[in-house]
Amino acid sequence: MIEHTPKIIDNFGRPHTYLRISLTDRCNLRCFYCMPEEGIELIEKPNVMTLEEIIEMTRTFRDLGVHTVRLTGGEPLVRKNFGFLVEELAKLGVKLKLTTNGIVLDKYLDLFDKIGLRNINFSLDTLDKAKSVFITKRDFYDRIMQNLELSLSMDMNIKLNMVLIKGVNDNEINDFIALTKDKDLVVKFIEFMPFKGNKWDWNKGVGREEILQTIESKFGHIEELQNPKHSTSSNFKVKGHKGSFGIVSTITNPFCDDCNRIRLTADGKMKNCLFATSETDLLTPMRNGTQLDDLIINAIKSKKHARDGMEVKMEAEHYEQNRSMISIGG
Ligand code: SAM
Ligand code: SF4
């Protein structure tokens, strides 16, 4: 891996070395916490970064010190010619990671094996087929589970992303922990977060303490693990289990102090934060032949310390100005 000196440094002295690129705002699922019921205004095709532009953007960020790139969406694997893109990105010498709903993962696992993409965040909110249909509004559960097994059999590093919603899947917390007994995977419990149009209400959320208590009441003592640098979750293990679990407590205990993440939307807008309401257009200047370095280095200076300024609580007048999660790329 080529390491470049980090040059994207915010006013809190945080070097930004991790880029999350949304390849598309299209998706083959309609998870209710992500995609607003009324749908979203899709990015018009001419405004979507081409594959060549994504590669060029990645090269620019890499030269400014980004060493890790996560591909996300929408559903990244529905992007046309995804295979070509990921092979080209691998040649840039950055560490590639992926977040996917797993529906078409089988098409790409051999390629991932070949290019060394092994870190896959796999969204799975339930182990119940009927509930999966309720959450995603589509019936792909069997395929998703087959692809999960296939990925594990190929020794991919799998993190299961589970967004917890009260009364929907919170009764499955310990079923997911049971999966970690014999399977070498990580379950990431994610607190329900607010975005434009997702009818967020923290009364529907399940917080870190409640998650830990639920697990402890069934499995007893939980070991706390050392969190890797820049980790967005606090990490734990049930004694004797092969796998482990983490909690992404963005709402009750945000992990912003050490943030090193930048986001790029499918239409080439740089976001300093998942909750940022302001964006920096990189695509138009790129198309005009402008060098992006200064634009990026200056854009990061407006990054707030935490949650785009929502330090104390989530504010509707703020997050309703943001995009919907499906078009940010979680
Ligand atoms: N389609 C891919 C997938 O589902 O993995 C990638 C994009 S999706 C937006 C990325 C992650 O964001 C998923 O794990 C999803 O569960 C999470 N997510 C979406 N909406 C969320 C919300 N309101 N709160 C917390 N996490 C959310
Ligand atoms: Fe699609 Fe992922 Fe959002 Fe579900 S969470 S609607 S799979 S982008």
Side-chain angles (χ1 to χ4, degrees):
M1 201 168 80
I2 313 164
E3 289 250 358
H4 293 255
T5 313
K7 296 204 180 81
I8 313 171
I9 302 175
D10 72 2
N11 285 341
F12 300 91
R14 298 176 291 196
H16 284 66
T17 51
Y18 187 160
L19 175 67
R20 305 167 76 104
I21 307 178
S22 171
L23 301 185
T24 176
D25 57 352
R26 270 71 170 170
C27 189
N28 37 9
L29 294 183
R30 297 283 179 278
C31 307
F32 69 81
Y33 52 73
C34 176
M35 167 74 120
E37 211 165 47
E38 61 280 10
I40 58 161
E41 209 172 299
L42 291 167
I43 301 169
E44 287 177 37
K45 213 140 177 229
N47 299 332
V48 174
M49 289 187 289
T50 63
L51 301 185
E52 288 68 28
E53 286 166 341
I54 294 171
I55 295 162
E56 195 45 43
M57 288 281 186
T58 306
R59 188 178 292 117
T60 301
F61 276 98
R62 179 204 62 185
D63 293 347
L64 292 172
V66 164
H67 53 63
T68 303
V69 173
R70 178 174 293 280
L71 304 177
T72 178
E75 174 49 37
L77 301 186
V78 304
R79 178 73 197 244
K80 212 165 155 204
N81 295 326
F82 172 83
F84 164 79
L85 175 67
V86 82
E87 267 198 283
E88 291 301 309
L89 293 177
K91 291 180 194 160
L92 296 178
V94 289
K95 186 171 180 98
L96 287 177
K97 300 183 174 185
L98 175 76
T99 302
T100 176
N101 60 31
I103 296 174
V104 292
L105 194 52
D106 49 319
K107 260 175 72 178
Y108 295 108
L109 284 170
D110 285 337
L111 176 59
F112 292 164
D113 205 30
K114 186 178 118 192
I115 64 171
L117 190 164
R118 312 207 67 81
N119 293 300
I120 302 178
N121 283 12
F122 195 119
S123 294
L124 186 72
D125 296 315
T126 178
L127 300 171
D128 177 285
K129 184 171 169 154
K131 209 187 282 182
S132 167
V133 175
F134 169 75
I135 294 171
T136 67
K137 310 216 178 68
R138 297 287 184 275
D139 184 3
F140 285 117
Y141 181 76
D142 295 335
R143 257 165 88 168
I144 291 169
M145 294 311 282
Q146 275 164 17
N147 283 341
L148 175 60
E149 286 304 325
L150 189 59
S151 316
L152 289 169
S153 73
M154 292 179 68
D155 280 335
M156 294 292 167
N157 301 325
I158 299 291
K159 287 188 180 165
L160 291 183
N161 280 0
M162 181 196 199
V163 180
L164 280 167
I165 314 275
K166 205 158 254 169
V168 176
N169 59 355
D170 55 331
N171 61 342
E172 293 189 64
I173 292 174
N174 285 331
D175 298 338
F176 274 74
I177 293 296
L179 287 181
T180 67
K181 185 165 189 298
D182 300 315
K183 291 189 199 298
D184 190 9
L185 52 73
V186 180
V187 174
K188 274 205 330 183
F189 298 110
I190 305 177
E191 290 181 351
F192 179 33
M193 301 176 212
F195 298 96
K196 184 179 180 158
N198 78 343
K199 302 200 176 106
W200 184 78
D201 170 2
W202 185 238
N203 290 320
K204 295 186 221 159
V206 186
R208 183 181 191 274
E209 289 314 309
E210 190 177 339
I211 298 167
L212 287 173
Q213 276 166 20
T214 305
I215 300 168
E216 252 165 351
S217 69
K218 163 119 190 198
F219 292 95
H221 178 67
I222 296 168
E223 276 175 53
E224 194 156 356
L225 303 175
Q226 180 83 32
N227 296 324
K229 228 171 164 244
H230 310 298
S231 177
T232 54
S233 56
S234 37
N235 300 294
F236 308 86
K237 197 179 173 84
V238 173
K239 211 168 175 228
H241 281 208
K242 223 170 159 181
S244 60
F245 70 95
I247 302 178
V248 181
S249 51
T250 313
I251 307 299
T252 64
N253 201 351
F255 36 75
C256 304
D257 288 352
D258 196 22
C259 182
N260 67 342
R261 287 157 166 75
I262 321 163
R263 293 181 154 77
L264 189 62
T265 60
D267 54 349
K269 307 274 176 11
M270 171 174 156
K271 280 174 90 77
N272 286 340
C273 171
L274 183 55
F275 298 107
T277 50
S278 68
E279 302 177 341
T280 305
D281 180 11
L282 298 183
L283 185 57
T284 312
M286 175 185 262
R287 287 181 177 175
N288 291 338
T290 306
Q291 238 265 343
L292 297 180
D293 292 19
D294 289 346
L295 207 53
I296 295 170
I297 289 169
N298 288 331
I300 207 70
K301 303 291 184 204
S302 65
K303 179 159 174 153
K304 310 268 173 53
H305 166 256
R307 298 193 306 202
D308 200 43
M310 293 184 286
E311 295 267 349
V312 183
K313 64 178 177 59
M314 308 311 280
E315 297 148 14
E317 59 280 11
H318 189 120
Y319 61 74
E320 282 294 341
Q321 298 300 314
N322 194 1
R323 296 182 183 224
S324 301
M325 180 59 135
I326 190 157
S327 79
I328 300 173

